[in-house]
């Protein structure tokens, strides 16, 4: 019996001594809150589509190609909705390129004119990737 306990003890010691710790450094993601006034939205098709372009210097050329961009809208204090999304009959979407974020609001059916979006807070979440 002592021999079995000795063998089990050796196995436990060997297993415990072979563990190594790995330290993972998290990526430095960024959250940026931007105010978008209702007057920032423009239309060229009679109100079927509105767009607003926001300066985003944090999206440099490298990040544009390798990072991740998530966008959220808040039309109500502290309540964020991730886009793309249809909210109150308006389809919201976005595109990004080096230095800017373009927001779009258009009729969900593509035909009916919509009201200019209200003032909103935009949460821009930039996710770095290796």
């Amino acid at each position: 019996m002592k021999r079995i306990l000795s063998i089990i003890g050796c196995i436990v010691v060997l297993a415990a001594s072979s563990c190594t710790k790995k330290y993972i450094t998290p990526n430095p993601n960024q959250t940026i809150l931007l105010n978008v006034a209702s007057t920032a939205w423009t239309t060229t098709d009679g109100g079927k589509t509105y767009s607003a372009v926001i300066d985003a210097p944090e999206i440099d050329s490298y990040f544009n190609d390798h990072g991740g961009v998530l966008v959220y809208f808040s039309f109500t204090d502290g309540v964020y909705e991730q886009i793309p999304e249809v909210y109150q009959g308006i389809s919201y979407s976005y595109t990004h390129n080096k230095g800017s974020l373009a927001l779009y609001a258009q009729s969900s059916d593509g035909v009916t004119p919509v009201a200019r979006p209200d003032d909103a807070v935009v949460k821009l979440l930039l996710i770095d990737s290796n």
Side-chain angles (χ1 to χ4, degrees):
M1 185 62 151
K2 285 184 178 182
R3 188 170 202 188
I4 293 173
L5 291 176
S6 295
I7 292 172
I8 292 173
C10 288
I11 292 172
V12 169
V13 170
L14 289 174
S17 65
S18 66
C19 295
T20 58
K21 289 185 178 181
K22 292 184 180 181
Y23 295 96
I24 300 171
T25 305
N27 287 330
N29 299 332
Q30 296 181 58
T31 300
I32 302 161
L33 296 177
L34 306 161
N35 292 312
V36 179
S38 180
T39 57
W41 295 91
T42 60
T43 185
T44 59
D45 61 2
K48 294 177 191 169
T49 303
Y50 285 90
S51 62
V53 178
I54 299 172
D55 289 334
E58 297 84 0
I59 303 175
D60 60 16
S61 184
Y62 181 83
F63 189 88
N64 190 53
D65 292 337
H66 301 283
V69 177
L70 299 176
V71 178
Y72 301 80
F73 276 163
S74 177
F75 293 108
T76 306
D77 192 32
V79 178
Y80 290 92
E81 304 268 345
Q82 186 175 10
I83 59 174
E85 175 182 64
V86 176
Y87 179 75
Q88 296 182 344
I90 301 173
S91 175
Y92 293 95
S93 60
Y94 69 96
T95 59
H96 62 85
N97 58 24
K98 179 184 171 194
S100 70
L101 175 71
L103 306 171
Y104 304 99
Q106 63 192 86
S107 169
S108 59
D109 66 9
V111 178
T112 309
V114 296
R116 179 186 309 269
D118 293 332
D119 294 347
V121 175
V122 173
K123 183 192 295 187
L124 177 59
L125 181 59
L126 302 176
I127 302 170
D128 199 9
S129 182
N130 303 8

